[in-house]
Amino acid sequence: MVRTTPGSDAVPAPNPVVRAGSDPAAEGDVNLSPLRRAWERDHVRGRTRALLDRDAAAYLHQSLSTPCFDALVGAEGIWLTDADGRRFMDFHGNNVHQVGYRHPRVIDAVKHQLDALPFSPRRFTNGPAVELAERLGALAPDPLRKVLLAPGGALAIGMALKLARVATGRHKTISMWDSFHGASLDAISIGGEAVFRRDMGPLMPGAEHVPPCDPHACRFGCGGTCDARCADYVDYVLGKEEDVAAVIVETVRCTDVQVPPATYYRSLRDACDRHGALLILDEVPIGLGRTGTMFAFERYGIVPDMVVLGKGLGGAVFPMAALIARADLDVAGDRALGHYTHEKSPVGCAAALATLDVIEDERLLERADRLGAHALGRMRDLARRHALVGDVRGVGLLLGLELVKPDGSPARREAERVMYGCLARGLSFKIGQGNVITLSPPLVIADADLDRAFDILDAALADVAARPDA
Ligand SMILES: Cc1ncc(COP(=O)(O)O)c(C=O)c1O
């Protein structure tokens, strides 16, 4: 695992980071930002403007989508094309695009399946669904063997929560502040981001939260050495509560690329075992190769009791998610854990099988590792030359640059300016926790395109440094 945090000799020691706390603006590029409006003023023209206006008139507005800021007409490989013919390298892609957009093998499989069997009603199974469950069960290490599918990550998280309740006879959970597990009410109950929880009224009872492992900004004072004090705290809470069904964690937090050390997961695994709680790892955006291994937890030498996959499983075509659980957790045969209309979609399963083939045949795990190491080198170089870059970190092709002001506080406006500067130059990515540039390129990206993206980032950072008050 490649990671650069305070103390590394590769990057100058970053300024101490002041945390965003529960600031609802911490999610960053929300659509009410004045910088968003300025970007639209400068870049959005006739046909696109008309489509955006119709979109805003027809859809309910919400903070992270409608009103939108551009309209797409095409996607291919790493590229998005907007209605005015502009192209963007997509380093965001909601993390569905490990194999890129319109991968020919995925598209062929989907077209073929549409012609053969487009839908499979409840009570029937079908070949692609059986094959996918067998394949996922075989990919995961023992004892993770049994699978349930769902048309979305939050739904699969919900199934994991239900199964944990049935299997343990307990209902409480421990999850992490600042985490994201989906936007449904059960998922925001265990999630820890203010922008999703604020003003939503009573959330699910028994959903306890603890501080996450942020190795570069530890709330327990480990000073960057990570002696797993945050995991000890989970152990402490498990001991006090005694009736916790599950601890739920994003193996690597995707929004701002928090990569815990192995000691953290070893301690967490031990704590769960000691107190009879299940360990559920959410790998919805990062599983299936993004971190350089099929499952991110393989980096840590532990096996959870359940893992949740999603997003990229549908090959950037179809909404697909999966819960893979320990075989002996098959104990809810008389309950409905999922029961979703599109649960065993033959089309979605065909897309997923083709995606797994591409990941294996194109050796995308090795590719993520190799390109990730190269990207970290480029990011370290940016950190040396741009004072705004306080920390760089990554695992595989999940990469984060944390921007901080000279006093160490989060450089949120600057991060947004860098983002819009990159968009204007043809690079799209998201900002996590308000000040972390999160880069998540397709794993099929060509070396030269990856370098081109860092050149764009370099130019946008230089622009912001040259005009700090703009
Ligand atoms: C870590 C994590 N878990 C769960 C989800 C929810 O997935 P979906 O949007 O498919 O419901 C997301 C989505 O971004 C996610 O990042």
Side-chain angles (χ1 to χ4, degrees):
M1 187 180 317
V2 241
R3 184 164 59 91
T4 300
T5 49
S8 159
D9 54 4
V11 171
N15 298 316
V17 175
V18 177
R19 279 273 136 205
S22 62
D23 181 350
E27 183 60 16
D29 53 296
V30 291
N31 50 11
L32 297 177
S33 148
L35 287 174
R36 164 77 69 90
R37 273 181 239 119
W39 195 87
E40 286 182 38
R41 196 184 54 234
D42 295 342
H43 296 276
V44 175
R45 304 274 170 266
R47 218 151 52 95
T48 306
R49 182 72 271 158
L51 206 51
L52 290 179
D53 290 346
R54 281 171 55 200
D55 178 271
Y59 279 96
L60 290 168
H61 291 200
Q62 53 173 348
S63 69
L64 296 163
S65 60
T66 301
C68 296
F69 80 128
D70 200 351
L72 295 177
V73 293
E76 186 84 38
I78 67 164
W79 295 96
L80 299 173
T81 306
D82 77 4
D84 290 327
R86 269 184 306 235
R87 300 210 314 152
F88 304 95
M89 286 191 263
D90 191 4
F91 280 38
H92 178 322
N94 287 67
N95 289 295
V96 303
H97 59 353
Q98 280 95 323
V99 300
Y101 294 113
R102 300 191 70 245
H103 193 289
R105 289 178 69 181
V106 176
I107 297 298
D108 279 354
V110 166
K111 284 181 175 166
H112 177 79
Q113 193 57 49
L114 278 172
D115 284 339
L117 175 71
F119 184 71
S120 181
R122 183 174 70 78
R123 295 189 291 126
F124 292 93
T125 192
N126 59 84
V130 173
E131 202 186 321
L132 179 61
E134 287 172 351
R135 186 96 172 258
L136 290 173
L139 275 176
D142 268 334
L144 297 175
R145 274 292 165 269
K146 299 214 77 173
V147 173
L148 265 185
L149 301 177
L155 300 176
I157 289 287
M159 298 190 312
L161 295 175
K162 284 187 187 175
L163 179 55
R165 286 185 177 201
V166 176
T168 63
R170 306 169 174 182
H171 78 280
K172 290 182 185 166
T173 54
I174 294 179
S175 52
M176 308 293 146
W177 287 118
D178 299 324
S179 66
F180 183 66
H181 297 286
S184 58
L185 266 178
D186 53 354
I188 63 171
S189 299
I190 59 165
E193 284 193 286
V195 70
F196 293 97
R197 296 166 57 92
R198 184 171 39 110
D199 300 333
M200 283 298 166
L203 298 175
M204 218 165 54
E208 314 263 343
H209 289 72
V210 298
C213 181
D214 287 356
H216 73 297
C218 179
R219 289 164 191 80
F220 294 86
C222 75
T225 60
C226 194
D227 48 9
R229 289 177 208 182
C230 42
D232 289 348
Y233 185 66
V234 176
D235 185 53
Y236 175 81
V237 177
L238 282 169
K240 291 285 167 196
E241 289 285 13
E242 288 182 332
D243 53 355
V244 172
V247 175
I248 303 151
V249 198
E250 293 170 76
T251 317
V252 174
R253 195 168 75 214
C254 185
T255 47
D256 60 344
V257 193
Q258 295 293 349
V259 191
T263 43
Y264 176 73
Y265 277 108
R266 278 199 293 273
S267 300
L268 217 53
R269 178 69 274 182
D270 287 351
C272 287
D273 290 345
R274 220 177 2 264
H275 298 286
L278 299 172
L279 178 60
I280 302 174
L281 293 181
D282 178 347
E283 302 206 352
V284 167
I286 61 162
L288 302 177
R290 173 144 309 280
T291 63
T293 47
M294 194 57 91
F295 302 93
F297 67 75
E298 291 173 74
R299 297 265 183 192
Y300 289 106
I302 57 134
V303 180
D305 302 296
M306 301 185 218
V307 61
V308 181
L309 300 175
K311 294 191 182 267
L313 185 60
V317 176
F318 204 88
M320 286 292 289
L323 166 65
I324 313 177
R326 263 173 31 201
D328 65 326
L329 290 177
D330 191 2
V331 293
D334 56 344
R335 324 284 167 92
L337 298 175
H339 191 58
Y340 297 116
T341 299
H342 289 271
E343 178 176 307
K344 286 184 178 164
S345 163
V347 177
C349 292
L353 287 165
T355 301
L356 294 175
D357 287 343
V358 172
I359 291 173
E360 281 173 22
D361 294 350
E362 298 188 15
R363 305 174 73 84
L364 295 186
L365 308 184
E366 292 94 317
R367 191 168 178 77
D369 246 353
R370 180 176 68 74
L371 291 183
H374 176 71
L376 261 185
R378 292 290 312 257
M379 288 159 62
R380 288 175 181 140
D381 176 56
L382 293 179
R384 269 190 286 272
R385 290 187 295 102
H386 296 283
L388 252 183
V389 181
D391 189 31
V392 300
R393 46 190 185 260
V395 52
L397 274 175
L398 177 64
L399 307 158
L401 290 96
E402 180 149 1
L403 303 194
V404 294
K405 296 180 185 171
D407 66 358
S409 61
R412 296 206 191 103
R413 187 179 153 78
E414 292 79 357
E416 230 187 319
R417 285 184 60 205
V418 170
M419 185 188 82
Y420 287 111
C422 287
L423 277 166
R425 294 169 168 91
L427 173 65
S428 175
F429 52 76
K430 78 169 260 181
I431 296 174
Q433 303 290 336
N435 69 322
V436 180
I437 289 174
T438 306
L439 304 174
S440 185
L443 310 185
V444 293
I445 189 168
D447 298 40
D449 285 333
L450 190 61
D451 273 325
R452 175 147 45 140
F454 282 108
D455 293 343
I456 288 175
L457 204 45
D458 197 359
L461 283 163
D463 253 13
V464 172
R467 297 184 301 126
D469 299 322

